[in-house]
């Protein structure tokens, strides 16, 4: 079967690497990179580290408003799909690249499978929530990571074609942490002691697009009291500059502010952190997988099970309280259920695609 995969943003390269490895054992894959992320440290580094074959197409869409970016993606994806005539398409997660791929495929009557289906924050002011809902409703195969995700789909009337396979990010983590621990020297380079620093990432529109909130988050990070590493997403870097807050982009005191790192360094930083402070979906989950307490700088999360289990704390609007919350995380929860499967999600996806070949001749 010929499968055309659409990716475009950092977390999708990591997820696709895990799935492609399994997929390519039995199928031909055409990999399309929309170009949504394009900095070396947001894109190419992952292809190099994770041994993902170079994309067959890079559509070089780049950054723009939602409408322009999504429209350009759709125009260019349609050209490739029309030329390649795949049997099915595969999209990941909840970015504009995800929705663009899903809309183009479904309108050309190519069946589209969605990996990481069923996630909901129930907050429609998030662009990701719109992308997820629409994508789930036009795809014929929905690969959910968790019970919650499968239930969310059922609540919206989607029960056909739903396969709960576990989380492909868990597959990626299990496979790569072994390599990362051999190759990464990040703790030495940054002179960090295991379990003695806070690792922070911030990039959500709701946290970066308003000056007051972004400044408050940066101030909270400056007050965590122990060493802190903030990996600056380009969106956050650009907003700090735009708001005239460049001064906050420089390391000072116990806070080190730096460019994003590759996946191997990231896994090692996460595994050894005392606390992770983030608004990233993937990083919240990885914190859980490494049994590191996470403070999520949002009012809600799609990964509700991590909160219910006590490993993830929603900081919501209490930004001032973040340093205090970090102090309180000294005791870790007792239980740690396997919410994210057994590390074979990619294999299950590849097998299901094979089993459901029939779906493509409809
Ligand atoms: C996107 C996804 C988000 C995901 C995140 C992963 C959407 C709507 N959002 O957010 O769900 O969590 O990726 O990281 O799809 N920029 C660069 N270099 C790059 C990429 C971006 O400088 O390589 C800057 C540009 O100023 C751009 C801004 O970052 O305008 C935002 O990039 P964009 O891809 O629109 O959204 P993200 O915030 O990265
Ligand atoms: N990540 C990385 N380097 C970084 C920050 C994040 O490799 O400097 C990885 C992280 O380990 C996770 C993924 O990128 O696997 C999360 O991506 P991001 O936070 O950009 O997006 P989200 O998951 O919120 O959509």
């Amino acid at each position: 079967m010929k499968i055309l995969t659409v990716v475009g943003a950092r977390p999708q390269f990591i997820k696709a690497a895990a799935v492609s490895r399994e997929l390519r054992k039995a199928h031909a894959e055409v990999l399309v990179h929309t170009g949504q992320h394009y900095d070396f440290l947001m894109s190419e580094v992952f292809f190099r580290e994770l041994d993902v074959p170079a994309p067959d197409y890079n559509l070089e869409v780049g950054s723009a408003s939602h409408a322009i970016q999504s429209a350009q993606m759709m125009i260019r994806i349609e050209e490739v799909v029309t030329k390649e005539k795949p049997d099915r398409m595969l999209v990941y997660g909840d970015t504009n690249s995800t929705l663009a791929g899903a809309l183009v495929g479904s309108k050309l009557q190519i069946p589209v499978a969605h990996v990481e289906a069923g996630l909901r924050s129930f907050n429609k002011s998030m662009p990701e929530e719109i992308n997820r809902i629409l994508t789930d409703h036009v795809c014929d195969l929905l690969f959910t990571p968790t019970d919650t995700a499968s239930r969310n789909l059922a609540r919206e009337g989607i029960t056909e074609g739903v396969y709960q396979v576990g989380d492909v990010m868990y597959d990626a983590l299990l496979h790569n942490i072994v390599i990362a621990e051999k190759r990464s020297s990040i703790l030495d380079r940054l002179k960090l002691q295991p379990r003695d620093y806070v690792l922070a990432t911030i990039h959500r529109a709701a946290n970066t697009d308003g000056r007051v909130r972004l400044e408050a988050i940066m101030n909270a990070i400056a007050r965590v009291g122990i060493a802190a590493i903030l990996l600056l997403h380009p969106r956050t870097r650009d907003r700090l500059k735009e708001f005239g807050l460049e001064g906050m982009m420089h390391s000072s005191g116990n806070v080190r502010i730096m460019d994003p790192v590759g996946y191997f360094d990231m896994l090692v930083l996460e595994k050894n952190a005392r606390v992770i402070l983030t608004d990233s979906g993937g990083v919240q989950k990885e914190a859980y997988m490494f049994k590191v307490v996470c403070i999520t700088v949002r009012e809600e999360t799609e990964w509700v099970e991590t909160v219910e289990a006590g490993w993830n704390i929603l900081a919501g609007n209490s930004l001032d309280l973040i340093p205090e919350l970090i102090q309180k995380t000294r005791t870790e929860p007792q239980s740690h259920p396997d919410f994210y499967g057994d590390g074979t999600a990619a294999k299950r996806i590849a097998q299901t695609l094979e089993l459901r070949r029939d779906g493509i001749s409809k």
Side-chain angles (χ1 to χ4, degrees):
M1 187 160 51
K2 184 176 187 180
I3 299 172
L4 187 143
T5 298
V6 178
V7 291
R10 170 167 69 185
Q12 294 167 335
F13 310 137
I14 296 165
K15 292 168 200 173
V19 176
S20 289
R21 202 178 312 119
E22 292 299 328
L23 216 59
R24 289 179 184 226
K25 290 180 185 167
H27 304 284
E29 185 180 38
V30 177
L31 189 62
V32 179
H33 184 332
T34 61
Q36 178 170 354
H37 285 176
Y38 44 85
D39 288 354
F40 177 84
L41 290 172
M42 295 297 288
S43 174
E44 198 177 329
V45 67
F46 300 101
F47 287 84
R48 289 197 187 181
E49 283 188 341
L50 302 179
D51 242 355
V52 194
D56 297 285
Y57 295 88
N58 189 325
L59 307 180
E60 295 182 354
V61 165
S63 306
S65 70
H66 285 282
I68 293 174
Q69 189 184 54
S70 307
Q72 286 299 335
M73 285 176 188
M74 288 181 67
I75 292 167
R76 297 178 201 185
I77 294 170
E78 187 181 60
E79 283 169 12
V80 176
V81 174
T82 306
K83 179 170 159 225
E84 290 286 344
K85 300 187 178 35
D87 300 304
R88 95 151 28 255
M89 289 173 63
L90 197 57
V91 296
Y92 291 86
D94 55 16
T95 71
N96 289 347
S97 300
T98 316
L99 179 59
L103 285 177
V104 169
S106 58
K107 294 213 174 168
L108 291 175
Q109 307 212 349
I110 313 269
V112 189
H114 186 200
V115 178
E116 214 177 65
L119 274 295
R120 296 290 181 269
S121 64
F122 302 100
N123 175 356
K124 284 197 186 154
S125 72
M126 289 178 76
E128 293 86 355
E129 184 75 353
I130 309 288
N131 292 342
R132 290 178 198 124
I133 295 172
L134 297 178
T135 299
D136 283 340
H137 282 260
V138 295
C139 285
D140 75 321
L141 288 184
L142 300 114
F143 294 113
T144 58
T146 58
D147 293 342
T148 316
S150 303
R151 274 199 303 273
N152 287 340
L153 290 179
R155 203 180 297 118
E156 291 173 23
I158 306 177
T159 48
E160 283 288 302
V162 178
Y163 293 85
Q164 189 170 326
V165 290
D167 197 314
V168 296
M169 291 197 91
Y170 189 40
D171 300 21
L173 178 146
L174 291 177
H175 179 83
N176 289 294
I177 185 64
V178 184
I179 309 168
E181 287 189 316
K182 287 191 193 123
R183 291 202 199 158
S184 169
S185 58
I186 188 97
L187 296 185
D188 287 343
R189 286 200 323 269
L190 300 182
K191 298 189 174 48
L192 292 170
Q193 296 302 321
R195 298 279 165 189
D196 201 24
Y197 61 91
V198 175
L199 175 67
T201 78
I202 295 292
H203 75 274
R204 293 280 165 198
N207 281 333
T208 55
D209 287 0
R211 182 195 160 111
V212 173
R213 187 160 171 99
L214 180 56
E215 199 172 4
I217 292 170
M218 296 299 284
N219 279 327
I221 294 171
R223 293 192 299 111
V224 295
I226 56 172
I229 306 293
L230 171 62
L231 302 171
L232 212 55
H233 189 287
R235 175 186 203 101
T236 316
R237 176 197 66 205
D238 290 356
R239 296 297 181 270
L240 285 167
K241 282 190 198 154
E242 194 182 308
F243 298 143
L245 298 173
E246 288 98 332
M248 295 188 127
M249 285 167 48
H250 304 300
S251 303
S252 82
N254 55 331
V255 184
R256 178 142 184 174
I257 300 184
M258 46 191 278
D259 283 338
V261 293
Y263 187 52
F264 293 150
D265 283 344
M266 185 64 180
L267 290 178
V268 168
L269 282 173
E270 287 176 327
K271 186 176 176 187
N272 291 286
R274 187 162 92 61
V275 177
I276 290 179
L277 185 73
T278 193
D279 59 6
S280 156
V283 176
Q284 282 176 67
K285 272 186 294 177
E286 287 165 348
Y288 184 82
M289 291 166 192
F290 281 131
K291 299 191 180 171
V292 173
V293 173
C294 184
I295 297 178
T296 295
V297 190
R298 286 179 50 192
E299 290 188 51
E300 75 285 302
T301 177
E302 302 76 36
W303 306 103
V304 285
E305 51 286 319
T306 59
V307 177
E308 283 155 14
W311 288 88
N312 191 359
I313 301 160
L314 294 173
N317 285 324
S318 311
L319 302 176
D320 295 354
L321 299 181
I322 287 174
E324 213 175 293
L325 278 177
I326 289 175
Q327 288 309 316
K328 282 195 189 148
T329 58
R330 289 248 169 236
T331 46
E332 289 174 355
Q334 296 292 309
S335 84
H336 188 269
D338 289 336
F339 296 126
Y340 299 112
D342 59 4
T344 61
K347 199 171 274 173
R348 288 166 198 248
I349 289 171
Q351 283 166 353
T352 310
L353 290 176
E354 186 60 35
L355 282 173
R356 289 292 309 255
R357 263 171 184 268
D358 60 317
I360 65 176
S361 55
K362 269 196 296 202

